[in-house]
Amino acid sequence: MEAEQLHVAGVERLEAGITVVRGIRASGVHAGLKKKRRDLTLIVSDVPAVAVGTFTTNQVKAAPVLVTQERVRGEGKGRARAIVCNSGNANACTGPQGEADARAMAAAVARGLGIAEDEVLVASTGVIGLHMDMDKVRAGIEAALRELSTSREAAAAAAEGIMTTDTVPKEVAVRFRIHGYECRLAGIAKGSGMIHPNMATMLAFLVTDCAVAREELDRAWREVVGKTFNQVSVDGDTSTNDMALLLANGLAGNPPLAAGDPELAVFKEVLEYGARELARLIARDGEGASRLVEVQVEGAGSDEDARRIARSIVRSNLVKAAIFGEDANWGRIICAAGYAGVPFRPEGVDIYLGDVQVCRQGAALPFDEEAASEVLRRPEVRIRVVLAEGQGSGVAWGCDLTYDYVKINASYRT
Amino acid sequence: MEAEQLHVAGVERLEAGITVVRGIRASGVHAGLKKKRRDLTLIVSDVPAVAVGTFTTNQVKAAPVLVTQERVRGEGKGRARAIVCNSGNANACTGPQGEADARAMAAAVARGLGIAEDEVLVASTGVIGLHMDMDKVRAGIEAALRELSTSREAAAAAAEGIMTTDTVPKEVAVRFRIHGYECRLAGIAKGSGMIHPNMATMLAFLVTDCAVAREELDRAWREVVGKTFNQVSVDGDTSTNDMALLLANGLAGNPPLAAGDPELAVFKEVLEYGARELARLIARDGEGASRLVEVQVEGAGSDEDARRIARSIVRSNLVKAAIFGEDANWGRIICAAGYAGVPFRPEGVDIYLGDVQVCRQGAALPFDEEAASEVLRRPEVRIRVVLAEGQGSGVAWGCDLTYDYVKINASYRT
């Protein structure tokens, strides 16, 4: 799987957590916002890091999104030392009090570390419309500060502290070389309801010790997020709290990657690998999901066209339900492609379930139903749609629609 | 309910079918495309009628859509005598053979009635990618021609013949006066999976004996469809076969309504009433639905903004699942509003479940959970979202997301 995903020579997947990156300490504690599980995570860089981020496009932005967005994108900003994130309460639709609470979370971390408040980025996920229990949060931050460590356990605890309906923590770590210097990239993420990731916020925090100029890091991150996290969390369907942050602290010691550096391409590929692995983990762990669905679209007029069509297919409830039912219903696939808002000639469409071609030139094709159903029974279902419009290609990730999805979401609060 | 929906004086809801309209005969038979139930419907006007229609925006259009669209919109076209519609096979993704079959269906009806082929409109709904069994279809058309009648039973049979996963036939009939002439409007429709009505095609066939100039009829129909059927079947999510046709045969004898006629407004309101009632029946009968959900948005920058926001809320799986779970989770409602792609100030948003206000100025509000849940237990759930942007308003209809939805769609073909 990884091998297939990773094309860069000399890049190695590590069985490690976020603390494998030089100068990164982390912790995850139980502050009491959730009944039992860890609900507060802290990630700290020993030195100031270049910070870039992408944020929800939702008209309704949670308080921590507003605070962090300003600290990452504001004039003369874009450097950070720490990320603090709680789960159990989204701190969204909480008015001025909510924004004060978000700032207070950052301030508490800043005090504990002896750094500037605006060097601390804050994120939240959980129920909308509840004010934060700041006594619990402050106590949790105290504990998280005490437990900061570079250990594998601390990294794992940090991955757990941001989970909501996730069933497993989501981590990635890789080692790679830039101009001969060994660099590390690692990250954690939390998942989302796989149909519309509204309330089930998507959060991703990646860190690297590779030195990269701010402008290049920002460009690379936007590009990578567009190909990975946004292909799970469809643009325009984003939650009030979605956030994907990337910190680069430069402790690998390499000369900072700047515009025109040929090895920027290597870094970008590594970054895309890390983000894609987290995106796939999120899709695989979709609420109630029993299968990961990967939709590959080729031959589109542009990469963006291909990505839009792939998203449209992967979010179609009828496609998702058919996969849950192991029903090779390719008609639903071409139909979902058809309403993606991208023009194409239906008579040019070929569709494959795994290796089984089920549609040729937009028309039915006799195929082995049993072989097709076998493909749909796999834990990872691959759908390939080939258009005759051009060279554009793109991938989207999702999961099947199950009884459990309904069960989970019929009573999220209660 | 009706009273609330109907504002025009002198308009009367009739417990009748499509044959209440002067000069309209109908039938519905079992041709054998479906195992047991009726699967072929014929609607005939004794005299040529002005024909207007709206069609799927899907890139992948079924053969009957291509044929009928040309006959309704083509140069010098737009008059029809008959509509033939089969269920059980969508005749979509069937290539040139499919188009030949669609034309052959119309030709068989034309021969039987002794009219021109292009006076016959054809529609299909069912599974994609299967060629039509034309022997069964031709025999079914013969039977349907024999059984044409103005009886109530024939009208009911016609309503049944277009059903797929619908659990009940959908009919509406009203009587109204135009310039003192008594006119009738009646229609039938079939429903759709309520999340994305992809394969579960939406079909609506309305007929009236009111005389209306073609241009005015076309304008009125597009406007009304935009406010009604398109608020259930979201634009861009349309199936390969969606079609909404309106025939006006003028047999009421009124002077044809033309541009500037003050009573055009009356006709439009009657038309909107009829279409809205069918749209509500479709939503209420959504696959696996246990509740009708009506989302009213007010105070938007424009009516189109309001309609977009209402659609975004009504199609959010998390909102739908929360309603199924009787969970007053207003956070999901404001979140879905937020990603509708319409700018608005969150701090200006009020949200009501029935009469219970659950959100004021975009923030939490102490409310009676029990009273709110009681609202969500009703067969018709009303959600009202009031923005502070302007005077725009709009309504969308949907249903809750249930286990049965997944069950039905996990095995539609098999």
Side-chain angles (χ1 to χ4, degrees), chain A residues 17-20 24-30 34 37-44 83-87 125 144 147-164 166 168-172 186-190 203-205 207:
Chain A
I18 198 164
T19 52
V20 75
I24 295 297
R25 291 175 296 151
S27 60
V29 302
H30 178 250
K34 292 192 299 196
R37 299 190 310 171
R38 302 179 198 272
D39 51 21
L40 194 135
T41 285
L42 193 54
I43 302 169
V44 174
I83 300 171
V84 59
C85 176
N86 74 278
S87 55
T125 179
E147 297 192 14
L148 278 173
S149 149
T150 59
S151 71
R152 180 67 182 92
E153 295 65 31
E160 287 172 21
I162 63 175
M163 290 164 63
T164 53
D166 307 66
V168 294
K170 298 164 181 65
E171 300 178 294
V172 69
I188 61 175
K190 79 164 293 298
L203 294 176
F205 307 129
V207 292

Side-chain angles (χ1 to χ4, degrees), chain B residues 142-393:
Chain B
E142 292 308 317
L145 285 163
R146 282 194 301 274
E147 297 191 15
L148 278 173
S149 151
T150 60
S151 71
R152 180 69 184 90
E153 295 64 31
E160 288 172 20
I162 64 175
M163 290 165 61
T164 54
T165 53
D166 306 67
T167 64
V168 294
K170 298 161 181 66
E171 300 178 292
V172 69
V174 293
R175 172 161 50 195
F176 57 104
R177 299 192 83 80
I178 292 291
H179 291 305
Y181 293 78
E182 190 203 274
C183 304
R184 285 92 179 269
L185 173 86
I188 61 175
K190 76 163 296 296
S192 56
M194 270 302 74
I195 290 157
H196 298 324
N198 309 5
M199 295 266 331
T201 292
M202 176 176 297
L203 294 176
F205 307 130
L206 280 77
V207 292
T208 181
D209 47 28
C210 181
V212 186
R214 185 167 197 297
E215 193 173 321
E216 299 313 313
L217 193 71
D218 189 49
R219 183 174 298 119
W221 188 231
R222 290 170 191 266
E223 190 181 314
V224 162
V225 169
K227 289 184 187 176
T228 56
F229 296 117
N230 283 354
Q231 289 298 92
V232 176
S233 168
V234 179
D235 273 336
D237 276 350
T238 60
S239 114
T240 53
N241 291 60
D242 288 352
M243 195 186 295
L245 300 174
L246 171 62
L247 271 53
N249 67 14
L251 288 176
N254 62 294
L257 289 169
D261 189 317
E263 300 223 344
L264 256 176
V266 177
F267 176 76
K268 250 191 225 171
E269 190 126 9
V270 171
L271 188 61
E272 182 173 345
Y273 170 79
R276 185 172 52 230
E277 285 305 292
L278 290 173
R280 288 165 47 85
L281 288 170
I282 288 168
R284 188 196 312 267
D285 195 27
E287 285 169 353
S290 69
R291 293 179 182 81
L292 170 69
V293 180
E294 181 169 300
V295 177
Q296 167 90 37
V297 175
E298 300 162 17
S302 70
D303 289 352
E304 178 47 31
D305 282 359
R307 287 199 288 267
R308 283 182 67 176
I309 292 169
R311 286 201 302 263
S312 185
I313 294 167
V314 91
R315 65 184 272 203
S316 159
N317 280 351
L318 288 169
V319 170
K320 296 155 73 73
I323 290 167
F324 174 59
E326 293 160 12
D327 175 8
N329 196 328
W330 62 269
R332 294 179 177 181
I333 296 171
I334 194 170
C335 182
Y339 62 66
V342 176
F344 64 83
R345 282 161 296 131
E347 61 274 21
V349 178
D350 293 347
I351 300 177
Y352 302 80
L353 301 177
D355 306 328
V356 183
Q357 182 166 16
V358 293
C359 168
R360 176 181 297 143
Q361 298 181 344
L365 185 72
F367 65 87
D368 180 343
E369 288 273 352
E370 187 35 49
S373 297
E374 189 278 321
V375 169
L376 298 180
R377 278 193 292 273
R378 297 177 191 162
E380 297 195 358
V381 174
R382 283 205 164 58
I383 297 173
R384 198 165 139 255
V385 176
V386 183
L387 308 177
E389 305 304 313
Q391 300 302 314
S393 69

Side-chain angles (χ1 to χ4, degrees), chain A residues 57-61 93-95 128-130 195-200 236-240 287 315-318 321-322 324-332 334-340 342-344 346 362-364 367 369 401-414, chain B residues 57-61 93-95 128-130 195-200 236-240 287 315-318 321-322 324-332 334-340 342-344 346 362-364 367 369 401-414:
Chain A
T57 57
N58 198 303
Q59 292 291 313
V60 182
K61 293 176 171 57
C93 302
T94 44
I128 284 183
L130 284 184
I195 290 158
H196 298 323
N198 309 5
M199 294 268 329
D237 275 350
T238 60
S239 119
T240 53
E287 285 169 353
R315 65 184 275 202
S316 159
N317 280 350
L318 288 169
F324 175 59
E326 295 162 8
D327 175 9
N329 196 328
W330 61 270
R332 294 179 177 183
I334 195 170
C335 182
Y339 63 66
V342 176
F344 64 83
F367 64 88
E369 288 274 351
L401 176 62
T402 69
Y403 298 116
D404 284 350
Y405 174 88
V406 179
K407 186 173 178 183
I408 291 166
N409 287 298
S411 53
Y412 177 85
R413 298 185 321 158
T414 50
Chain B
T57 57
N58 198 302
Q59 293 290 313
V60 183
K61 293 176 170 57
C93 302
T94 45
I128 284 183
L130 285 183
I195 290 157
H196 298 324
N198 309 5
M199 295 266 331
D237 276 350
T238 60
S239 114
T240 53
E287 285 169 353
R315 65 184 272 203
S316 159
N317 280 351
L318 288 169
F324 174 59
E326 293 160 12
D327 175 8
N329 196 328
W330 62 269
R332 294 179 177 181
I334 194 170
C335 182
Y339 62 66
V342 176
F344 64 83
F367 65 87
E369 288 273 352
L401 176 61
T402 69
Y403 298 116
D404 284 350
Y405 174 88
V406 179
K407 187 173 178 183
I408 292 166
N409 288 299
S411 53
Y412 176 85
R413 297 185 321 158
T414 49

